[in-house]
Amino acid sequence: MARACFRTRPNLAQVLALVVAVWAGPGAAAAELLEGEFGDIDLGRPLVEPTRFPTIQQLREAVRTPEIRPVVLFRLYGSDKNHYLPVWSGDGRRLAFQRSEIDVRSSKLLLFASMAQPEPSLLSDEEDAYDYMFRWVVNSPASYTFVRIRPGVAGTRVYLSEEGGKPGPKLAQGARYAHAAAYRRTDGIWRIVYQQNDQVVQEAWTDRGPLEGPLPVTAGAAPRWSRDGARLLLARMGPGGEQDAYEMVVWRLRTGEATPLPAGVRGLVRSPTWSPDERHAAYYVRELGEGKPWRIRVCPTDGDRPGRTLGNDVRVNAIFESEGPSWEPSGRRIWFFSNEYQEQAYCPLVAADIRTGELAVVHYPRRVTNPLDLAVHPASEVPELAFVGQIELPQDLFILFLNHY
């Protein structure tokens, strides 16, 4: 039997996309393998299920199956540390995630600058640097920002990598910064917004130096850029400044106009995300009160239509603030894990249609437990999902391919 061994990860999304494109074509019904097909593919990654890479015929059969189900699940990366918060770059070619040891206050960021890398790169090997709040830059897929804490140093620092280069400090030291988000215009102007105390602040620069700022934008938190750089999606205190009432808003930078996206309940909101076409926004919401579950709220960004609340008892990272609800590329559905369908330490995937509220429950191999921090590939037609979970005690990073959306 032929054997193919990949020292680096092949582009499985392209392989599966090819199968999707040709599944209706003629095949060799009596043969297990098609002519020229490798019979034993070694990905260089531990396959969870199946234990061998599927044949083309098996992939064709999977694509024909109306029910959404897993095709390949493998462990992309693991170590003796816990991992959190995978986040795809806008073009889906890169994947960053966080490695943390909560007991010793350690947090590092790791990056697959190419999904063919056998191992991720560590963004900093400085032992006393606590790095978190990673975000990719809008309109510059290889660029990113993150926040760093150093013991004994007041405040935080925001670091920026331009075009995947070595990250360096961007904002003045001493303040308490959070949730930095950067945007690169086609004319070379860079803009960054960040949370400083209870204010959203903006700065801009070019290669020649500072252009404007720091300029307060509005009271709020956790800002996210739109693709055109004209709007921000952010959280703010509700009307009347009540401490226990929060909402999301779309803020238009040119006019200062705010479009409220009501939470539907009196409580907490966090982790806003734009839909792929930016006609909707989604975020997590939780009513006040002990033991109240997190749910997902979806609102049209024009503010003219009512929002919808999705999911019951959605699994949300309680230690680090995550990227937010994960959209499939079409924008039709949002994917998450829910405790509502929990079986001991196992929780299946759930996909919720944002228009009808209809739910699809998708089971993957139950060997992987305590799943968290789901990130759907933003650009591939073949469903490729990154998430963290456990087979043994450390929390590892997994990749799951589904047969279709």
Side-chain angles (χ1 to χ4, degrees):
M1 180 176 289
R3 178 180 178 84
C5 181
F6 296 92
R7 295 299 178 188
T8 58
R9 175 177 175 259
N11 192 327
L12 298 184
Q14 291 183 355
V15 174
L16 296 179
L18 177 61
V19 174
V20 171
V22 304
W23 69 266
E32 181 182 354
L33 300 177
L34 300 184
E35 183 178 355
E37 179 183 358
F38 288 115
D40 191 5
I41 297 176
D42 181 2
L43 298 177
R45 313 281 188 187
L47 283 171
V48 177
E49 192 176 301
T51 55
R52 62 182 297 280
F53 194 79
T55 66
I56 289 179
Q57 289 195 76
Q58 289 171 329
L59 292 172
R60 284 175 170 171
E61 291 170 4
V63 173
R64 291 190 183 100
T65 303
E67 179 185 1
I68 302 175
R69 66 178 180 84
V71 173
V72 175
L73 173 65
F74 64 93
R75 181 161 40 195
L76 179 63
Y77 183 74
S79 70
D80 61 348
K81 309 293 193 301
N82 284 323
H83 302 91
Y84 301 89
L85 304 176
V87 53
W88 296 100
S89 61
D91 57 7
R93 297 180 180 179
R94 304 159 187 86
L95 183 68
F97 59 103
Q98 189 170 327
R99 184 189 75 196
S100 298
E101 297 174 89
I102 306 302
D103 294 342
V104 296
R105 292 280 300 168
S106 170
S107 180
K108 297 293 182 186
L109 295 169
L110 292 90
L111 172 65
F112 283 100
S114 164
M115 294 308 294
Q117 282 181 224
E119 297 284 334
S121 303
L122 190 63
L123 295 191
S124 171
D125 58 3
E126 298 180 46
E127 291 187 4
D128 65 343
Y130 186 103
D131 297 337
Y132 69 135
M133 291 189 180
F134 182 98
R135 284 183 171 176
W136 295 102
V137 174
V138 177
N139 286 347
S140 182
S143 305
Y144 56 84
T145 65
F146 61 88
V147 174
R148 172 171 291 175
I149 301 173
R150 285 189 182 277
V153 178
T156 60
R157 295 296 299 270
V158 171
Y159 277 67
L160 171 73
S161 164
E162 297 186 9
E163 305 298 336
K166 183 178 179 179
K170 194 62 197 174
L171 305 181
Q173 188 168 328
R176 188 72 180 179
Y177 305 117
H179 304 295
Y183 173 86
R184 186 179 188 276
R185 294 190 352 181
T186 55
D187 59 3
I189 294 176
W190 294 76
R191 295 187 179 275
I192 192 168
V193 289
Y194 50 89
Q195 179 183 338
Q196 184 174 352
N197 300 321
D198 60 352
Q199 291 287 319
V200 172
V201 180
Q202 179 183 197
E203 298 188 26
W205 70 94
T206 67
D207 293 340
R208 295 185 296 275
L211 196 61
E212 64 180 32
L215 299 173
V217 176
T218 182
R224 306 300 299 257
W225 287 101
S226 63
R227 284 193 306 274
D228 62 4
R231 297 174 296 166
L232 296 173
L233 178 62
L234 54 92
R236 72 175 184 184
M237 202 172 293
E242 298 176 77
Q243 293 287 340
D244 59 354
Y246 292 85
E247 64 183 0
M248 292 293 173
V249 300
V250 174
W251 183 271
R252 288 166 177 79
L253 287 162
R254 186 177 296 276
T255 63
E257 177 187 3
T259 301
L261 309 179
V265 298
R266 187 183 184 87
L268 303 176
V269 298
R270 59 174 277 189
S271 308
T273 57
W274 297 95
S275 66
D277 62 7
E278 297 184 350
R279 295 180 180 178
H280 291 81
Y283 54 94
Y284 297 122
V285 59
R286 187 179 72 185
E287 292 183 70
L288 295 176
E290 186 176 352
K292 293 292 186 180
W294 287 100
R295 304 188 74 189
I296 293 172
R297 183 75 173 173
V298 181
C299 298
T301 52
D302 58 14
D304 292 337
R305 294 160 290 156
R308 177 185 292 273
T309 303
L310 303 171
N312 294 312
D313 204 359
V314 174
R315 291 179 68 91
V316 174
N317 194 316
I319 302 172
F320 302 104
E321 185 160 346
S322 61
E323 279 292 285
S326 195
W327 296 83
E328 64 182 57
S330 68
R332 173 189 169 193
R333 290 179 294 199
I334 292 173
W335 289 74
F336 53 93
F337 295 107
S338 171
N339 291 318
E340 184 180 16
Y341 305 95
Q342 184 173 357
E343 302 172 16
Q344 297 181 355
Y346 169 81
C347 288
L349 282 162
V350 181
D353 189 298
I354 68 167
R355 290 175 175 81
T356 67
E358 181 181 359
L359 301 179
V361 179
V362 179
H363 289 277
Y364 54 91
R366 286 171 169 79
R367 288 181 58 200
V368 180
T369 59
N370 296 311
L372 196 63
D373 297 338
L374 180 67
V376 179
H377 194 291
S380 174
E381 294 181 2
V382 176
E384 182 177 1
L385 286 66
F387 67 98
V388 297
Q390 295 178 340
I391 291 180
E392 298 169 344
L393 280 179
Q395 190 163 272
D396 296 333
L397 178 60
F398 294 88
I399 297 289
L400 174 67
F401 282 93
L402 304 175
N403 55 345
H404 54 70
Y405 281 119

